[in-house]
Amino acid sequence: ADPNPWPLVLYLAVVAGAAYALVRMRRWLWLAVAAVAGGVLWGFVLVDPVSAGAGGGFASALFAHVAIQLALACALIAIEPHLGVPDEAAEPDWIAAAALAALTGIAVVALGAATMDTRWTVFALVAMGILAATAWRSAPAASAAPLAGIVALAALATWPGLRDAPDPRLVTTAAEYILRLPDNVTNYMMFALVVMAAITAVATLRLWRGRALPIRTAALYALAAVVPPLLALVLVYLRVTQFDRSISFAFIAVLLAGAFYLLANALDKISPKTPAIHLAIGAFASGVAAAMALAFVMVLDRGYLTVAVAVTAATTSLFAVIDRIPMLRYVVVAIGFIVLGRLAWDPYIAGADVGTWPIFNWLLLGYGAPAAAFLGAGYILKRQGEDLAVRLCDALGLLFAALLFFFQIRHALNGGDILSPMSGHIEQGLFAVTSIGFSIVLVRMDLARANPVFRFASLAFGVISALLVVFGLGLTENPLFSRQSVLGPTVFSSLLLAYLLPGGAAVVLARTARGVRPNWYVTMVAILALLLLFGYVTLEVRHAFQGEIITLWRSTSAPEVWAYSVAWLALGLAFLGYGLVRRSREARLASAALVVLSVIKVFLFDLTGIGGFWRAFSVICLGVVLIGIGLVYQKLIFARPQPAPPPPPAG
């Protein structure tokens, strides 16, 4: 004879009911835990034959068992103990929440294990109804409302689909079944509309009725009212459209945003506003932003999607300030991280074809718009005070701006391929200039508007530029150690972009940061400027004698050896002049270091490595420069002050 699971189901119902009754009399928490655990474990026992396709009414028995156990737990753990609790004292009962969550989990498993039919649909509706009724009747069991949303989402995910799976390039293997096209699209969408409207209505009306609810309880109701409809819209959109753009679904998203706006507006008219009402207004306003972002996702393509979501963040910041909704401030931040994830997933934004024009391409729109949007959002949010949301918006805006410059440089120098594995000294030099330029601007912005994000970012960009100079321009992409060609004529060559331009920028940064940034930072930037300018002069001399290829292992002539001494001395004199005019101790020290280096080179190399005229000429040039420097120090730096003239005689 076929096994009959029904006696077991009835027996477990009686045992669980008796256990919960005893828990209420004796207040034995361990017994309640054991009853819930037993119901869940026996549920898994019944799931196994259902998954294997066993007959004998196992599916009906499984549904009945889970529904009975869920109803008993809701009635005797979540509702009855809190019948006399007023709303203002209705703090969440986390023990009841854990029990209902465990039984909700077995309900989700049952939906996935059984084949869809009338029993399946009835069970899904019954489970959602039990949880929704519990959330309505017992505020301490408000967690039942989002759990009802979980059951609804599970039903939408496990709804049977057609054989054809979506494009495997768009989904993982685990998601191929869940995201199949539903076998009956009309019934599927009607089911989604009805269950989500019911759950949202229950949670919203309970919020409206419970204006004195504690903030955590109100948060659970707000979560159930806003998040499940949004997730259901995403799931239905993916299953029905199979990842294609859809104006119809975008329209549905706009309608959902309108519904959330009307609810937020209605709650905003309540007076006086309690913390629970403030929280609900923020939650629905956040839902407006999220639904509009989904509408953009569903109807837009290429870089427009990123721009649209970023603009949504900026407009959300306006609503946050105008309507004084604190939660919306962090919705702006959440949207920022969504945009950041979008750019990390596809840095090209518009696919590999971002355009061939330098600057005026998809990168300008895809990275420039988010940068402007989040810097603007940070400025707008600052009107109500400096907080973490403002800092994060500023940080996101700076990050997007830095990525814009970085990828525009890559695009211009790599034929439009921003992820090319190749690089060069020009690219590394422009990266260094950009980092130093960001640091200069941020130092000035921090002085104008004290901002810890700007302060930290200015230091970070300075350190990044130092790393680029040391490892990029100093080692890996240095034309001395690679076979890269130096392009252009002497003086006005590619070395100007790679070394001279960032060196000049480092000089400006050292001046700007003096007195407003730590001493180690100013010293680091000054050393950076010295290394870059020294590298430009040295490499340019070699370029003048060697041509395009200036690798270190090529032979060096006597005139070239002499030219290095002269160039280094000239650079030392330039640093000395700058130090005297600007009263810069760092510049005078750099001048002294270059002169000492020249002296060492002349005595250790020129006097032994070259001969004849060039040896004598090198020594003569060194002597003239040293005498001139000595006179300058004697007259301008170490000169004794003149005695003051005697005062005129009285009368």
Side-chain angles (χ1 to χ4, degrees), residues 313-314 317-318 369-383 393-394 397:
S317 68
L318 282 173
F374 285 99
L375 288 174
Y379 180 77
I380 293 170
L381 294 177
K382 182 180 177 293
R383 296 180 182 179
C393 284
D394 290 338

Side-chain angles (χ1 to χ4, degrees), residues 124-268:
L125 294 174
V126 167
M128 286 182 279
I130 292 172
L131 290 168
T134 301
W136 173 267
R137 185 63 184 85
S138 175
S143 56
L147 291 176
I150 291 174
V151 174
L153 291 170
L156 293 174
T158 56
W159 189 286
L162 300 179
R163 289 180 177 272
D164 294 335
D167 189 341
R169 295 172 298 178
L170 301 177
V171 297
T172 62
T173 304
E176 285 186 5
Y177 175 78
I178 294 177
L179 297 179
R180 292 176 189 270
L181 182 68
D183 59 357
N184 190 317
V185 174
T186 302
N187 290 345
Y188 181 70
M189 294 187 66
M190 287 300 298
F191 179 85
L193 176 63
V194 170
V195 298
M196 286 304 165
I199 293 171
T200 300
V202 169
T204 304
L205 290 174
R206 191 62 184 85
L207 274 171
W208 187 282
R209 217 184 78 180
R211 303 174 187 180
L213 288 170
I215 196 70
R216 289 182 293 184
T217 306
L220 291 171
Y221 285 121
L223 177 68
V226 175
V227 175
L230 292 170
L231 295 180
L233 179 59
V234 173
L235 184 57
V236 173
Y237 163 71
L238 293 177
R239 292 201 64 175
V240 173
T241 66
Q242 298 291 281
F243 300 85
D244 197 5
R245 287 182 295 169
S246 173
I247 295 177
S248 301
F249 273 96
F251 180 69
I252 294 173
V254 172
L255 290 179
L256 181 60
F260 283 154
Y261 176 78
L262 292 176
L263 290 172
N265 188 56
L267 290 168
D268 189 47

Side-chain angles (χ1 to χ4, degrees), residues 61-453:
L62 171 63
F63 292 151
H65 168 73
V66 176
I68 292 171
Q69 295 295 324
L70 184 61
L72 288 172
C74 287
L76 299 176
I77 296 181
I79 296 178
E80 194 275 335
H82 306 295
L83 287 178
V85 177
D87 279 354
E88 56 270 17
E91 289 290 344
D93 183 348
W94 298 115
I95 296 176
L100 298 186
L103 292 167
T104 299
I106 193 61
V108 170
V109 173
L111 289 173
T115 303
M116 182 185 177
D117 53 17
T118 303
R119 296 172 300 175
W120 187 95
T121 307
V122 170
F123 168 71
L125 294 174
V126 167
M128 286 182 279
I130 292 172
L131 290 168
T134 301
W136 173 267
R137 185 63 184 85
S138 175
S143 56
L147 291 176
I150 291 174
V151 174
L153 291 170
L156 293 174
T158 56
W159 189 286
L162 300 179
R163 289 180 177 272
D164 294 335
D167 189 341
R169 295 172 298 178
L170 301 177
V171 297
T172 62
T173 304
E176 285 186 5
Y177 175 78
I178 294 177
L179 297 179
R180 292 176 189 270
L181 182 68
D183 59 357
N184 190 317
V185 174
T186 302
N187 290 345
Y188 181 70
M189 294 187 66
M190 287 300 298
F191 179 85
L193 176 63
V194 170
V195 298
M196 286 304 165
I199 293 171
T200 300
V202 169
T204 304
L205 290 174
R206 191 62 184 85
L207 274 171
W208 187 282
R209 217 184 78 180
R211 303 174 187 180
L213 288 170
I215 196 70
R216 289 182 293 184
T217 306
L220 291 171
Y221 285 121
L223 177 68
V226 175
V227 175
L230 292 170
L231 295 180
L233 179 59
V234 173
L235 184 57
V236 173
Y237 163 71
L238 293 177
R239 292 201 64 175
V240 173
T241 66
Q242 298 291 281
F243 300 85
D244 197 5
R245 287 182 295 169
S246 173
I247 295 177
S248 301
F249 273 96
F251 180 69
I252 294 173
V254 172
L255 290 179
L256 181 60
F260 283 154
Y261 176 78
L262 292 176
L263 290 172
N265 188 56
L267 290 168
D268 189 47
K269 294 178 180 178
I270 294 176
S271 181
K273 290 186 178 64
T274 62
I277 295 300
H278 272 294
L279 178 79
I281 294 171
F284 284 116
S286 304
V288 173
M292 290 304 300
L294 285 178
F296 288 131
V297 170
M298 293 166 179
V299 77
L300 294 179
D301 196 6
R302 297 172 66 88
Y304 292 118
L305 174 59
T306 308
V307 175
V309 176
V311 171
T312 301
T315 55
T316 303
S317 68
L318 282 173
F319 284 116
V321 172
I322 294 173
D323 296 332
R324 297 184 177 275
I325 304 175
M327 182 178 289
L328 279 186
R329 301 170 73 87
Y330 293 95
V331 172
V332 176
V333 176
I335 295 174
F337 284 106
I338 291 173
V339 175
L340 184 62
R342 162 73 176 88
L343 298 178
W345 176 59
D346 181 15
Y348 290 102
I349 299 176
D353 183 19
V354 297
T356 57
W357 283 77
I359 300 177
F360 299 102
N361 48 54
W362 275 107
L363 299 173
L364 180 62
L365 188 64
Y367 286 91
F374 285 99
L375 288 174
Y379 180 77
I380 293 170
L381 294 177
K382 182 180 177 293
R383 296 180 182 179
Q384 286 187 340
E386 301 270 359
D387 60 0
L388 182 60
V390 175
R391 304 289 182 241
L392 290 174
C393 284
D394 290 338
L396 287 168
L398 287 175
L399 179 58
F400 292 136
L403 290 174
L404 171 64
F405 278 84
F406 174 79
F407 284 126
Q408 286 285 16
I409 292 171
R410 298 237 70 202
H411 177 275
L413 297 180
N414 293 280
D417 185 4
I418 62 174
L419 299 181
S420 171
M422 306 300 293
S423 187
H425 61 279
I426 299 178
E427 184 175 301
Q428 295 294 318
L430 293 178
F431 287 158
V433 170
T434 302
S435 297
I436 295 172
F438 266 92
S439 188
I440 294 171
V441 172
L442 289 168
V443 169
R444 295 189 180 279
M445 290 177 66
D446 184 44
L447 292 177
R449 168 192 159 193
N451 189 323
V453 173

